[in-house]
Amino acid sequence: MRDETTRNEATRDEAASQEIIELLFFAYRDFVGDADERLQDYAFGRAHHRVLHFVGSRPGMTVAELLDILRITKQSLARVLRDVIEAGFVEARPGVADRRQRLLHLTAKGRALTQELTGLQSARIARALDGFHPQERAAVARFLRAMINPQAAGTRPVAGAERMGDAP
């Protein structure tokens, strides 16, 4: 009887994991889809969005820091950075201590687009969390943090964790 109970529990756990995997796929699709539609106006994709987001949340970051966060090749980042710089959304300034460094900053145009994209995604998050108690919001934040590889460079949120009720 015990073996059958253990098998049933394993089957339930496997089904629950499968459901969460699918929910994450669908949630990600729709979460980024809101911004994807707007980015099409500029012939930008998700890589451009990630660059705009992280440059906006970490003004003055280096290209190397951005590579660490995004985990993409230099070649891929160079193409995306060129696009957003040429379109006037990001500027690369020389470093103060080391002029060879390129410090990345959003332009006013970049800040406006990033705020618009963040607004779209924030509205979706607000709708999803509507009616959640602070403890439930904290559980969502804990779950998402637990999904992040702890050894990954640059993956700590820079602001707002305490708003979810569970600062790191």
Side-chain angles (χ1 to χ4, degrees):
M1 180 71 172
R2 184 178 172 150
D3 286 344
E4 186 177 324
T5 302
T6 303
R7 262 184 269 134
N8 288 342
E9 287 173 0
T11 301
R12 276 195 306 273
D13 288 347
E14 197 174 294
S17 291
Q18 182 67 27
E19 180 184 21
I20 290 171
I21 289 167
E22 288 193 9
L23 288 169
L24 284 169
F25 277 125
F26 293 136
Y28 177 75
R29 176 199 65 197
D30 295 344
F31 176 72
V32 299
D34 296 334
D36 285 350
E37 286 182 35
R38 181 67 174 103
L39 290 165
Q40 287 177 0
D41 294 344
Y42 303 97
F44 287 172
R46 292 181 183 164
H48 297 88
H49 184 195
R50 288 190 296 271
V51 167
L52 291 168
H53 173 81
F54 287 110
V55 171
S57 67
R58 295 164 173 82
M61 73 184 320
T62 65
V63 172
E65 291 166 336
L66 187 55
L67 279 168
D68 284 344
I69 290 172
L70 297 178
R71 292 188 185 176
I72 60 176
T73 65
K74 279 184 179 182
Q75 183 179 3
S76 294
L77 180 58
R79 180 189 58 78
V80 171
L81 260 182
R82 183 181 61 246
D83 291 346
V84 295
I85 289 171
E86 287 178 359
F89 292 99
V90 171
E91 62 183 359
R93 303 176 192 162
V96 176
D98 183 351
R99 309 231 1 114
R100 294 171 298 176
Q101 272 188 327
R102 291 180 18 190
L103 306 181
L104 304 172
H105 296 269
L106 292 179
T107 63
K109 184 177 173 182
R111 282 189 299 279
L113 178 57
T114 301
Q115 287 170 355
E116 181 181 351
L117 299 173
T118 298
L120 292 169
Q121 292 181 315
S122 293
R124 179 173 292 278
I125 291 168
R127 286 190 307 272
L129 292 175
D130 187 41
F132 280 41
H133 296 288
Q135 298 87 348
E136 293 170 313
R137 289 173 178 252
V140 170
R142 275 193 311 277
F143 170 77
L144 292 172
R145 274 192 216 95
M147 292 291 294
I148 298 169
N149 183 349
Q151 297 88 322
T155 55
R156 290 185 66 88
V158 294
E162 53 286 341
R163 284 181 284 190
M164 289 295 288
D166 187 43

